[in-house]
Amino acid sequence: LFSPMTSTNTYLIDKCGEKVHEWNTSAYKPALSCFLLQDGSLLKTGQLDNPFFDEGGSGGMIERFDWNGTLLWNYSVSDSNNCQHHDIMPLPNGNILCIVWDRKSKQEAVLNGKDSSYNQSHLWSEKIIELQPIGADSAIVVWEWKLWDHLIQSYDNTKLNYGVVSDHPELVNINYFPGAGNSPDWIHLNSIDYNPVLDQILVSSHTFNEVWIIDRSTTTAEAAAHSGGNSGKGGDILYRWGNPQAYQRGN
């Protein structure tokens, strides 16, 4: 199953490359994610060209079509401060996990320990929301995790989140910007997956060159804290791999 990046169509092919089925009723080019669900329906993301989030992978629209191309449900996560991007993950309970850019002002970033030489007006953090589809065009957020609740910095001891970065690999250093310079797209999560046995979420960060695992068994309040859930760690990173420079434990 694939949605070509320059097309509004989605195709299902067999192992010989022959087309089995085609959906051509979406109005949107893909935002890099599509799924064939157990009932034969198509779940896909779509580009809304949000002017506040003009980076690759920007999406904002989620659609579900039946096998014949009839639109069953759609919902937008796209405004001046939030935008779904790159990937989603359908869950066994019928809900959908979404990666969402979470726009912060420079003032908010500096207050939380960002190097004050940062020269952009905004910084894009990340959050993960779990949507419960309602009706044909609505949804409610039943769970949420925000990266902004799990920061650390060693730049300014008068600002929030100050501490020794290497002592806290479970937190994200707001001043680690490998290769991104002063780009507001700081983390750039690319993909999301779910482990139903452990009730954990896996995400990958393009900019950090890492994968992270977080606990989905938390409540939203626990996900904003450092305790709770099956792990007892709240929304802190349970495991990370790929780049020890990100938390100052290697090169």
Side-chain angles (χ1 to χ4, degrees):
L1 181 76
F2 63 98
S3 296
M5 292 176 64
T6 58
S7 171
T8 58
N9 293 3
T10 300
Y11 301 93
L12 182 66
I13 63 173
D14 64 20
K15 293 181 180 180
C16 296
E18 298 295 327
K19 184 173 71 174
V20 175
H21 195 65
E22 176 181 353
W23 290 263
N24 58 12
T25 50
S26 177
Y28 306 103
K29 294 179 182 178
L32 310 185
S33 188
C34 60
F35 294 87
L36 185 63
L37 302 182
Q38 295 242 348
D39 63 358
S41 62
L42 170 71
L43 183 70
K44 71 181 291 287
T45 56
Q47 296 179 31
L48 290 182
D49 297 322
N50 185 325
F52 298 98
F53 298 94
D54 56 351
E55 290 288 335
S58 179
M61 176 59 71
I62 308 171
E63 301 174 299
R64 182 173 165 235
F65 297 91
D66 70 13
W67 183 261
N68 296 315
T70 300
L71 181 63
L72 301 175
W73 174 81
N74 67 351
Y75 186 73
S76 172
V77 182
S78 179
D79 56 36
S80 60
N81 290 312
N82 305 272
C83 187
Q84 175 275 326
H85 67 97
H86 282 93
D87 200 12
I88 58 176
M89 185 67 206
L91 296 178
N93 63 6
N95 294 347
I96 304 166
L97 291 175
C98 306
I99 298 172
V100 178
W101 275 315
D102 184 15
R103 192 168 180 249
K104 305 294 184 181
S105 68
K106 177 181 178 178
Q107 291 73 22
E108 287 179 280
V110 170
L111 177 64
N112 278 272
K114 183 80 187 82
D115 187 329
S116 58
S117 67
Y118 178 67
N119 63 12
Q120 300 291 318
S121 61
H122 291 86
L123 182 69
W124 302 355
S125 186
E126 298 274 8
K127 63 183 179 180
I128 299 169
I129 62 173
E130 181 179 337
L131 293 176
Q132 179 184 339
I134 304 292
D137 58 3
S138 300
I140 56 174
V141 177
V142 296
W143 182 83
E144 183 175 56
W145 173 88
K146 293 183 177 181
L147 175 66
W148 207 246
D149 296 322
H150 304 279
L151 299 175
I152 192 164
Q153 55 91 14
S154 58
Y155 172 74
D156 188 338
N157 63 6
T158 68
K159 299 296 191 295
L160 299 174
N161 307 306
Y162 183 77
V164 179
V165 172
S166 61
D167 287 348
H168 294 280
E170 75 279 7
L171 305 176
V172 177
N173 182 4
I174 194 172
N175 289 307
Y176 184 67
F177 253 51
N182 277 314
S183 168
D185 188 11
W186 166 42
I187 302 294
H188 198 90
L189 294 182
N190 271 145
S191 61
I192 184 167
D193 207 344
Y194 177 68
N195 184 330
V197 176
L198 298 177
D199 204 4
Q200 294 176 350
I201 294 170
L202 173 73
V203 291
S204 65
S205 168
H206 175 275
T207 309
F208 273 46
N209 294 291
E210 286 192 300
V211 293
W212 302 338
I213 292 176
I214 61 173
D215 193 345
R216 167 59 191 84
S217 72
T218 57
T219 64
T220 293
E222 290 170 337
H226 309 290
S227 62
N230 293 340
S231 68
K233 303 292 185 181
D236 286 346
I237 296 173
L238 302 181
Y239 174 82
R240 66 196 299 179
W241 182 86
N243 183 11
Q245 292 179 99
Y247 43 99
Q248 298 182 1
R249 284 196 179 185
N251 56 12

